[in-house]
Amino acid sequence: MRKIVFVVFALTILIVSAKAQVVWNVTHSDDWWSASGNLDSNICFTSVSCNGDNCTAAGRLVADPNNIPEASIVIYRSNDGGKSWERQPFDIPFIGQTINHGITKLVQIDSLNVVGIADLGYVIRTTDGGQSWHKQTPPVYRNLIDIDFSTPSTGIVLGAGFDSLIFTTTDGGATWINRTISGSDFYSCRSFGSGAFRFYKYGHGPIYTTRDNFKTIDSSKEIFDSITDHGYHYLLMNCTYTAGDTILAYGKFWPKDTVDPFGGYGMIMRTTNGGNSWEKPFIYPTIKIGQVDQTTTLDRDTIYAAGLENYNFLRSTDRGATWQCDTILMDTSYNPYTCWGLTITGDGHPVASFSYIPIQYSSVLTRGEFVKSHVDVIEKIVYNTRIYPNPTSGKVNISSIVGSDPYRLVDIFGREVMSGKLSDQGTTTLDVSSLSQGMYELILYHFDLRFSAGKIVVMKN
């Protein structure tokens, strides 16, 4: 309760002082309330990827959260950079643990080709823009950690385990070549084409690079910053690569030990020389962001990062040299907590999947929009207040992203018929059964500003 109020207050301060705030517009959500007050469905979008304005998102659909075996995988497609989404004619039924965590990684190779991986060697692919999908023969029947394709033909995939396996393909995944590498726990990979690949060892590195199709492999040192060596207080889950020598490593930093899961800070650090040395990491207190799990690509100046805890994301406007922490402002009352996927469109808009709890039950697909006026942002918050059921002959529920704000209900002549204050959670229920049939206007007051939040239609049986 207090956390939600704090987020809105801190957000307003940021809006006033920042030149351009990001508003995350929800373009698809399974969490909308129907007129009967029930959730339509339960989908957690577990991965999303964009190439230009062509985007694909994979979701884990659970018809009944208490009956997990009925889960299936659904695929959504956007051709306008995440402004709108259409469900694709392809559902994967739940089979044991095969897709227990859904499609954990998608690669939008181009407008037609998309490839994804799931648990225990599950690989899916489309070559016609999502109109049809097919399962590919996996290189190994074990948990697949990461996958990347530089062209529709050339790619790399990592299999998890103490003897992590690396496979490459030159025919789009029809066949895979096992690259025997000494080592274990390889966790992220990148294909650059022309025989160039990179992959990373979970925890602290090193980062491995081959530019001649695995004939020779170079490795960096383990990842520690060049200013203060914090040793094994770092836990770096992932890396984001460029074709050059700039790399981001991110995850968590424990100032004391790695035992307390709630004692860590989200962190992100950068190298510009292929991992030979690292810049001083940016570390954020748990109250800001507890863990960095996702970033957008490094092929542009503005980069976004997100992860776990406390409704925040990171933004850099200088390719990761410096970072700022911003509040995740939704255009609805959804409370984002965990980021499952993060990508960027051709015109520089971030697209992400956020869940309100760190469990794969439900989430929203969002697209970041840029606004400069703090009044416009506040209007977006208020205008996306939910009013349901509507029309009504009895009670009507109001749910807003802002809490404790005063409200008034007025008739068509502007006369007040009801007034009060939203709860700390931004909700209230009005009994309008005694009002005359007709249309009424709901007015909210936020920081002494008056906004029309919508109309309520009262019907008589």
Side-chain angles (χ1 to χ4, degrees), residues 44-66:
C44 182
F45 291 98
T46 54
S47 54
V48 59
S49 179
C50 290
N51 186 320
D53 286 339
N54 303 120
C55 305
T56 302
R60 184 174 181 271
L61 171 63
V62 182
D64 179 1
N66 297 316

Side-chain angles (χ1 to χ4, degrees), residues 64 85 99 105 107 129 134 191 333 370 391 399 419 444:
D64 179 1
W85 295 85
I99 54 171
K105 178 69 179 289
V107 181
H134 59 276
S191 171
S333 58
F370 313 109
S399 176
S419 64
L444 296 182

Side-chain angles (χ1 to χ4, degrees), residues 23 28 30 39 43 45 82 183 187 211 218 245 259-260 268 316 324:
V23 178
H28 182 87
D30 69 292
L39 292 176
I43 301 176
F45 291 98
Y187 212 72
R211 302 185 188 278
D218 298 325
D245 287 330
V259 176
D260 180 7
I268 191 166
S316 172
Q324 69 181 53

Side-chain angles (χ1 to χ4, degrees), residues 134-156:
H134 59 276
K135 302 174 186 177
Q136 290 188 311
T137 302
V140 62
Y141 286 95
R142 65 168 66 179
N143 192 21
L144 300 179
I145 291 294
D146 199 12
I147 191 170
D148 189 57
F149 274 75
S150 52
T151 69
S153 299
T154 304
I156 183 173

